[in-house]
Amino acid sequence: MVKLPTATSLTGRFVRLDPVTADDLPALAEILLEPAVYESGYVMRRRPETADQALAAAHEQYLDAPPCDGRGQGRVVFVVRLQADSPLGPAGEVVGTTSLGEAVLAHERVHLGWTLYRPRVWGSMVNPETKLLLLGHCFDDLGFGRVKIQTDALNARSAAAIERLGATREGVLRRHSRREDGSFRDTVVFSVIASDWPRVSAALLARLDPDPQR
């Protein structure tokens, strides 16, 4: 039986995912202010001009999200924290956010997205383990059969990261979503389905293995 995504914590070796709270908003606002985020193709929204604008945007985007209703509306927002002290930062630091949403229980599908990280953790273990935890939660705990992951066609860095996860590229939805500035984005759609999960999980675990000779 497929279950709705709800607020829960997921723990790995490098990161921990927790449901977002008001205390996390200042850290998320800092990420929304990072110029590099927008230079790399995050263009659905404009970069806030002030810290107050960023805090308001973080509140709207992450704390005010409605819960999943099982019919395609709502989402569960997680913050991504470092699990231990490392060169990436101190234990417990918020380094990003991601969500599960648009769940349709009748069709056993869910969307893993709305992902944003501090630029200094790009290319690290953070994204692979975050996706490993969330995909495992979707397939093993909640019973979904399909997880969609998508990105703006302009965001080549994000598309490459999704492909490295082992997700299957399904195509491009042209003129799919209106950006905040009024322009329309083409959306590149990927998926992982239940029969892919053993292969994808094995590859992600291999990427996270600190001893590649083992």
Side-chain angles (χ1 to χ4, degrees):
M1 179 178 178
V2 186
K3 303 173 186 176
L4 272 179
T6 56
T8 189
S9 294
L10 304 169
T11 302
R13 284 184 292 164
F14 304 100
V15 298
R16 186 176 82 249
L17 276 57
D18 293 316
V20 68
T21 70
D23 290 340
D24 302 315
L25 295 183
L28 296 175
E30 288 179 4
I31 301 173
L32 289 173
L33 282 169
E34 288 270 10
V37 167
Y38 302 86
E39 294 165 1
S40 296
Y42 180 72
V43 292
M44 279 301 291
R45 296 177 180 268
R46 296 187 181 93
R47 178 174 175 258
E49 295 181 0
T50 67
D52 286 344
Q53 288 180 4
L55 193 61
H59 196 290
E60 176 190 357
Q61 294 178 49
Y62 306 123
L63 202 61
D64 289 346
C68 292
D69 65 2
R71 299 183 299 277
Q73 299 297 314
R75 61 189 173 110
V76 176
V77 181
F78 299 88
V79 291
V80 182
R81 305 180 191 279
L82 296 177
Q83 177 66 2
D85 293 340
S86 76
L88 296 175
E93 181 185 7
V94 173
V95 294
T97 179
T98 191
S99 298
L100 294 176
E102 299 177 4
V104 180
L105 296 186
H107 299 298
E108 301 182 354
R109 67 181 186 232
V110 69
H111 178 189
L112 194 173
W114 302 272
T115 302
L116 194 66
Y117 297 116
R118 293 186 186 275
R120 67 175 143 87
V121 305
W122 292 350
S124 70
M125 299 294 195
V126 168
N127 187 54
E129 187 166 66
T130 295
K131 294 300 193 294
L132 178 69
L133 291 171
L134 282 176
L135 288 169
H137 183 54
C138 289
F139 292 119
D140 300 334
D141 301 333
L142 302 178
F144 284 98
R146 169 185 167 85
V147 179
K148 177 183 70 173
I149 309 173
Q150 65 186 31
T151 191
D152 194 312
L154 295 179
N155 198 335
R157 182 190 60 79
S158 177
I162 297 170
E163 288 192 25
R164 286 197 299 274
L165 298 172
T168 297
R169 180 178 170 131
E170 296 184 331
V172 178
L173 303 177
R174 299 184 301 161
R175 203 178 187 275
H176 179 239
S177 299
R178 188 189 295 271
R179 302 187 183 100
E180 193 175 75
D181 66 2
S183 65
F184 283 85
R185 88 171 193 178
D186 293 343
T187 298
V188 188
V189 180
F190 299 80
S191 71
V192 179
I193 62 174
S195 58
D196 299 332
W197 177 230
R199 169 185 58 82
V200 171
S201 61
L204 287 172
L205 286 168
R207 284 178 64 181
L208 296 170
D209 193 336
D211 182 2
Q213 303 302 314
R214 190 168 64 188

